[in-house]
Amino acid sequence: MTRAWATHDPTARPNGQVFGRAPAALVIAGVIGFAFLVVPVVAVVAKAPWGSVAHELGNADVRTALWLSLATTAISAALCLVFGVPLAWALARVDFPGRRVARAFVTLPLVMPPVVGGVALLLAFGRTGLIGSWLDDAFGITVPFTTAAVVLAQTFVALPFMVISVEGAFRSTDVRYDDAAATLGASRLATFWHVTLPLAAPGIAAGTLLSWARALGEFGATITFAGNFPGVTRTMPLQIYIGLQSDPDAAIALSLVMIALSIVVLVALRERWITGVAP
Amino acid sequence: MSLAADFVVRRPEHTTTFALDAAPGEVVAVVGPNGAGKTTALRAIAGLQPITSGSIRLGGRVVSDSSSHLAAHRRDVGFVFSDHLLFPHLDAVRNVAFGLRRRGMSKDAANATAREWLERLGLAELAARRPRQLSGGQAQRVAIARALACRPAVLLLDEPLASLDAGAAMTLRSTLRDHLADFGGVSLLVTHSALDALVVADRLVVLEHGAIVQTGSPTEVAARPRSAHVAALVGLNLISGTAVGGVVRSATGPDLVVSERVDGAVVAVFSPSAVGLYASRPAGSPRNVWSAVVRSVAPHGDAVRVQVDAEIGSILADVTPAALAALDLRVGDPVFASVKATEIAAYPA
């Protein structure tokens, strides 16, 4: 196993030729880590009730959850695009005091437990929350435990992926293109639309895909802030969790769908990385 | 529109002091060694770099001073960058049309005007190409078309030929000369090359260590350079020092005897062809003889240019191939260099 890995992985060959064989201890640890990541996915595929997958996915509850997930994640991804791209631009191009602190806050939801994110959203948008009490008083709007809450929870956890990906794209494009645009009479906004944005398009596409995938998988913040009401807030991850207790086969079928979607996302990103900057 | 600039840009690493009054239609070349502040001066005029003190006026209107700064996109200034900076996601036509579109021209009109400019620069058949499908020379032509298409009041060119190979630079140089002569505004051309400066410019500004050391017509500056950099640029030897009645006391070494009666701080200039090289110390008329070491030997037209490190400094000497063969000179060989006093021009620094 060890030897087969070392000789069949093409990227290992140059090192193998120069430095000798890869140390067994490192290879074994790496293989264990790899197996740990792959075996569970293989298990889902192996244990799936292949004969009844179509039937399970035809289940009304499952279809409702699927549809709710697709609709809410599409809105979340759009929100990430609309607010995340300008935020990334500000972090990449505007030299304002406290920029480092701002960037730290942007990345906080990445490392924060999603459940805590849900609690934080409740305290902000709940009926007695910072903004929620005002929304309730002024407009009679209640956010928690609605489909809107699902979208907010998903956007909260997904937005950092967009910002980080797009900020990287903005930073890697030569800022002197902005100079060139300015000397041609382009205002900063025109430069953003006609130069900065098109040049960062691959990074923006990647960010959109990543944030969409993150929104699709969102569970903790959703169940805390939006609850678990069929047809209203019960998205696919919640349906899987519920289904595992009552109807395991439906849960496994849904898991298969989500694994398939994840693979599609990976392949799409891989395509982009291989083909590089657009046409 | 005229350009009236007199300003200082102070940055942590270096300070640039620049002053220039230029009339519409004038082509001014800014020359100087790397790090002299040429690009900084250009960026300040374009509005890409704020100035610390002084002012910049375009057509009488103050666009920069110590307290105000008109944004680059509101100035009527075109910029050609040394590495063209064409927008990689746009084809040549849309690159040239970019500035016209930003000035409110309709898409069709902008594209039509852009095509005319591409045609004028001999690029009509490359209109649909993206920048990465263009050679360096073609891309720089598109960049020049892009800057000219907006009909700016001032055109700033930052070493536009620097990244091109010699052949492409040669053809683009003559294109540039023709178009800058037709261009009605002020042109400012930053360059490393004496050829660019002499072929294209009406006036030369020499910048060294962040300050102007000389201005004048190309022939004036070439004939009476005031700095070693310009002298080297135009292929002359220059030695500066203090003169007392025809003897220049150089800062670097022995005295230099000149035929002119000058006093005070002077520069002494002589052509490489005025320098003679000898295997042993020559007797007789030459008053200026220095022992030296050969640094390099290279063909130069019909002659051979020999660079020697003499007691008085680094000197260029042009000798005939026959003389070189007779001397049998190689790099590192000792040699004597001499110049007749009558061959040296000395003038106040």
Side-chain angles (χ1 to χ4, degrees):
Chain A
M1 175 76 191
T2 306
R3 179 170 295 172
W5 179 259
T7 53
H8 283 111
D9 180 7
T11 60
R13 271 181 206 162
N15 277 353
Q17 284 164 357
V18 178
F19 300 115
R21 192 181 295 167
L26 297 185
V27 172
I28 291 168
V31 168
I32 291 173
F34 178 76
F36 179 68
L37 292 175
V38 170
V39 167
V41 178
V42 173
V44 174
V45 176
K47 290 282 192 178
W50 288 104
S52 60
V53 166
H55 171 72
E56 297 292 353
L57 292 179
N59 176 317
D61 286 351
V62 169
R63 274 167 45 190
T64 306
L66 238 169
W67 170 243
L68 184 67
S69 265
L70 291 179
T72 53
T73 52
I75 298 171
S76 298
L79 288 175
C80 287
L81 203 56
V82 170
F83 296 103
V85 172
L87 176 54
W89 179 81
L91 288 175
R93 286 286 200 275
V94 187
D95 205 5
F96 59 89
R99 179 156 70 162
R100 295 165 71 101
V101 179
R103 189 179 292 115
F105 270 104
V106 166
T107 43
L108 193 56
L110 276 181
V111 288
M112 193 160 78
V115 172
V116 177
V119 172
L121 285 170
L122 264 181
L123 295 179
F125 295 100
R127 206 172 259 207
T128 56
L130 275 182
I131 298 168
S133 61
W134 172 76
L135 281 177
D136 196 17
D137 292 347
F139 307 102
I141 296 174
T142 316
V143 180
F145 310 111
T146 63
T147 305
V150 173
V151 171
L152 287 190
Q154 290 172 349
T155 308
F156 184 76
V157 297
L159 191 54
F161 284 87
M162 177 69 89
V163 175
I164 286 173
S165 172
V166 176
E167 194 200 342
F170 283 157
R171 281 185 183 281
S172 66
T173 57
D174 194 338
V175 73
R176 291 181 315 138
Y177 286 120
D178 292 18
D179 290 348
T183 63
L184 291 165
S187 68
R188 248 185 143 173
L189 186 61
T191 302
F192 173 78
W193 271 118
H194 298 288
V195 178
T196 316
L197 219 47
L199 289 180
I204 292 170
T208 308
L209 219 51
L210 279 173
S211 55
W212 176 75
R214 178 65 189 89
L216 193 67
E218 171 42 36
F219 179 85
T222 310
I223 202 161
T224 313
F225 179 51
N228 180 22
F229 304 111
V232 181
T233 69
R234 186 179 291 171
T235 53
M236 275 214 280
L238 274 64
Q239 179 70 39
I240 291 172
Y241 179 71
I242 298 298
L244 209 50
Q245 288 151 32
S246 55
D247 184 1
D249 279 357
I252 295 171
L254 264 183
S255 299
L256 272 180
V257 171
M258 295 198 66
I259 289 174
L261 285 174
S262 308
I263 290 172
V264 167
V265 168
L266 265 187
V267 169
L269 288 174
R270 177 60 63 195
E271 278 300 301
R272 183 185 83 75
W273 284 329
I274 289 171
T275 52
V277 186
Chain B
M1 269 201 283
S2 61
L3 168 70
D6 189 351
F7 60 88
V8 177
V9 175
R10 198 158 285 136
R11 295 204 296 178
E13 326 85 76
H14 44 72
T15 297
T16 302
T17 308
F18 190 81
L20 177 70
D21 280 308
E26 222 181 328
V27 180
V28 181
V30 182
V31 298
N34 277 330
K38 306 184 298 283
T39 298
T40 302
L42 240 55
R43 290 178 61 84
I45 294 168
L48 299 172
Q49 164 74 52
I51 64 173
T52 312
S53 60
S55 69
I56 300 170
R57 289 160 197 271
L58 287 178
R61 176 193 188 196
V62 175
V63 293
S64 281
D65 61 23
S66 54
S67 60
S68 68
H69 177 86
L70 187 69
H73 72 272
R74 295 186 196 283
R75 301 183 183 199
D76 204 5
V77 166
F79 208 114
V80 177
F81 299 84
S82 57
D83 51 348
H84 69 71
L85 286 181
L86 292 179
F87 302 123
H89 61 295
L90 301 178
D91 61 23
V93 173
R94 287 190 294 160
N95 260 289
V96 178
F98 186 92
L100 302 168
R101 293 282 288 137
R102 301 290 85 76
R103 282 163 169 76
M105 195 183 273
S106 78
K107 196 173 193 168
D108 290 345
N111 284 347
T113 311
R115 276 175 207 285
E116 281 169 31
W117 275 102
L118 287 176
E119 205 161 317
R120 229 171 280 183
L121 283 147
L123 298 161
E125 68 280 16
L126 304 176
R129 294 231 190 138
R130 298 265 175 131
R132 62 170 181 186
Q133 298 168 309
L134 299 170
S135 72
Q138 291 165 341
Q140 199 56 282
R141 272 168 195 266
V142 176
I144 290 166
R146 180 173 75 168
L148 284 171
C150 296
R151 301 201 167 278
V154 175
L155 183 64
L156 306 168
L157 306 107
D158 189 6
E159 305 201 31
L161 311 178
S163 61
L164 307 180
D165 60 69
M170 184 71 81
T171 48
L172 191 52
R173 185 176 296 117
S174 56
T175 305
L176 209 52
R177 184 190 52 205
D178 297 344
H179 283 274
L180 293 187
D182 291 348
F183 172 63
V186 175
S187 307
L188 225 61
L189 170 74
V190 162
T191 177
H192 259 108
S193 135
L195 209 51
D196 294 352
L198 297 174
V199 168
V200 177
D202 305 319
R203 184 143 57 113
L204 244 55
V205 173
V206 184
L207 207 56
E208 275 185 32
H209 306 298
I212 291 175
V213 294
Q214 192 173 7
T215 63
S217 74
T219 41
E220 270 167 38
V221 173
R224 294 169 77 103
R226 285 183 192 287
S227 75
H229 176 78
V230 178
L233 207 63
V234 297
L236 292 176
N237 293 302
L238 178 143
I239 286 157
S240 55
T242 313
V244 182
V247 178
V248 178
R249 187 141 296 161
S250 74
T252 46
D255 292 349
L256 188 68
V257 182
V258 298
S259 60
E260 290 167 77
R261 299 266 143 205
V262 285
D263 288 294
V266 295
V267 287
V269 172
F270 49 95
S271 153
S273 59
V275 179
L277 295 180
Y278 305 92
S280 54
R281 182 172 284 274
S285 65
R287 306 282 302 275
N288 301 301
V289 180
W290 312 293
S291 67
V293 176
V294 176
R295 273 286 153 256
S296 69
V297 178
H300 185 80
D302 290 338
V304 179
R305 178 156 286 185
V306 183
Q307 190 193 1
V308 298
D309 281 345
E311 296 157 281
I312 202 158
S314 179
I315 288 174
L316 300 174
D318 285 352
V319 297
T320 61
L324 185 79
L327 284 166
D328 190 24
L329 284 181
R330 290 194 179 82
V331 172
D333 284 353
V335 71
F336 289 92
S338 83
V339 189
K340 285 183 188 166
T342 50
E343 301 271 17
I344 301 174
Y347 45 87

